[in-house]
Amino acid sequence: MNFINAMKTIIYLFFSVFLFSSCDFIFKKDEKSEPVFPAKEKVVLGSDLDSNGCAISAGYRWSELRNDCIRVFEEGFRLNPINIEEGNPEENELEDNDVSGFVVFNSEKTKAEIFLPYQEKSILLNEKATTGIYGNENWELDTRKDWELKHRGVLKFTAAKAVDLKITGSDQIDDE
């Protein structure tokens, strides 16, 4: 009797494996794929290089202070324009680095480099006699309290402000 039960189990197992493998074969799409051949020439990503060899589409800009291509939104301090009004379409672009300026310092913090939106060349500023103030003939950056960037005495950019999120409810269950 044990032999008959063992044979039944083997037969059921064989048909189960056959059934699942045949269903897999039936339900597969018969897709003819084209063979893949490697490119004969190298594909260069970031082919939109500036005159210094920085890939603009990858977010790189040439830094005079660092003497290298850098991603200013990763290495610099963000400055947002002050003239964007609430509801203005540009307001939503602040997170996209489109309208923000960025500041990068040299290692001694004696020079600042300003990267402004829609301006290809950066602006170099030297530290003035007062610590925390950098400038040239047109621009002045004050880093002492609220970072302010002025152009010919007119405030143009300030430090990016952190957005405080409000908690509207609690996820705690009240014990009653």
Side-chain angles (χ1 to χ4, degrees):
M1 194 75 166
N2 286 336
F3 178 72
I4 294 175
N5 286 337
M7 288 302 290
K8 284 182 184 179
T9 305
I10 292 173
I11 291 173
Y12 286 132
L13 183 64
F14 174 75
F15 281 119
S16 298
V17 170
F18 177 75
L19 178 66
F20 286 119
S21 64
S22 64
C23 288
D24 185 43
F25 178 74
I26 291 170
F27 290 125
K28 279 188 179 178
K29 292 181 181 178
D30 187 22
E31 295 179 11
K32 301 217 181 220
S33 61
E34 296 294 321
V36 178
F37 298 104
K40 292 181 180 176
E41 56 188 58
K42 291 183 180 180
V43 177
V44 179
L45 298 177
S47 60
D48 59 339
L49 303 178
D50 67 6
S51 60
N52 294 302
C54 301
I56 299 166
S57 65
Y60 287 95
R61 305 258 318 254
W62 178 256
S63 171
E64 295 291 332
L65 289 181
R66 307 266 175 98
N67 199 26
D68 197 7
C69 297
I70 65 169
R71 297 177 89 179
V72 295
F73 53 88
E74 290 179 348
E75 297 188 32
F77 298 96
R78 181 187 296 263
L79 298 173
N80 286 337
I82 56 126
N83 61 350
I84 293 182
E85 299 170 5
E86 190 172 330
N88 187 332
E90 288 184 343
E91 179 184 28
N92 294 330
E93 296 177 13
L94 286 176
E95 294 178 6
D96 298 333
N97 304 323
D98 291 24
V99 296
S100 296
F102 293 89
V103 181
V104 175
F105 296 96
N106 65 350
S107 58
E108 298 84 22
K109 299 241 193 267
T110 57
K111 294 183 183 228
E113 186 172 15
I114 308 296
F115 295 89
L116 296 178
Y118 311 115
Q119 188 169 333
E120 189 175 319
K121 190 163 172 53
S122 63
I123 302 165
L124 292 175
L125 305 176
N126 293 314
E127 187 173 34
K128 294 188 173 185
T130 307
T131 303
I133 297 182
Y134 301 82
N136 64 17
E137 62 275 357
N138 294 320
W139 292 91
E140 181 179 272
L141 174 67
D142 187 348
T143 63
R144 294 175 296 177
K145 184 181 171 191
D146 290 334
W147 288 38
E148 295 180 342
L149 180 62
K150 295 179 181 177
H151 182 253
R152 295 185 177 151
V154 178
L155 183 62
K156 296 291 185 178
F157 290 84
T158 60
K161 306 289 188 245
V163 177
D164 291 332
L165 300 176
K166 295 180 181 177
I167 299 173
T168 58
S170 175
D171 61 353
Q172 300 296 320
I173 299 173
D174 293 334
D175 292 333
E176 293 182 13

